[in-house]
Amino acid sequence: ESPKNDASKKERPKLTKTPPKPRKPFQRIDFLVRDWQNFDDEDDMEAMEKEMDEYLHSVIAERKAKDLHDTRAQITGCFEKLGCFMFTHPGFSVTKKKYSGDVQ
């Protein structure tokens, strides 16, 4: 026999297919939290992003209390990725009736 036939007779490794992960119906959701006043250092964007991520994980995390358990489960079950962005409080001058919209 030719070497070609010998090579084809060699046992090939069997490929085992792992079942694909079930895809979630949606890719991403971002929660926007306005008037956030709790940043430790508003000049450090990296630190603020870390705080936002920690906050999101603490809100979505399992809790002993069952408040909003179904809502959390539905959110994490429907979205591939969760994000959070917090807007700092703009200051009290913008809440006044006389605020003209000027940004200084």
Side-chain angles (χ1 to χ4, degrees), residues 22-102:
R23 292 204 58 188
K24 296 180 180 180
F26 303 104
Q27 292 176 348
R28 180 179 179 99
I29 187 169
D30 285 295
F31 294 98
L32 304 177
V33 180
R34 64 173 254 201
D35 299 342
W36 185 256
Q37 298 179 20
N38 297 328
F39 286 121
D40 292 331
D41 182 5
E42 293 183 15
D43 294 328
D44 184 354
M45 187 62 183
E46 191 173 309
M48 289 191 302
E49 287 175 345
K50 183 180 177 204
E51 273 184 70
M52 288 184 273
D53 190 52
E54 289 170 356
Y55 177 76
L56 175 64
H57 282 61
S58 73
V59 169
I60 295 296
E62 287 289 325
R63 301 173 187 209
K64 288 182 183 177
K66 295 294 179 186
D67 67 320
L68 301 176
H69 177 267
D70 292 341
T71 302
R72 285 185 188 89
Q74 190 170 21
I75 289 170
T76 56
C78 286
F79 293 93
E80 305 254 344
K81 189 168 185 176
L82 305 176
C84 179
F85 196 84
M86 299 173 189
F87 295 108
T88 58
H89 191 278
F92 292 105
S93 62
V94 300
T95 61
K96 295 180 180 178
K97 289 183 181 181
K98 295 181 181 179
Y99 179 65
S100 66
D102 288 337

Side-chain angles (χ1 to χ4, degrees), residues 6-18:
D6 289 341
S8 65
K9 290 180 181 178
K10 286 184 181 178
E11 191 172 316
R12 295 181 184 170
K14 297 192 182 205
L15 300 176
T16 57
K17 289 187 177 182
T18 56

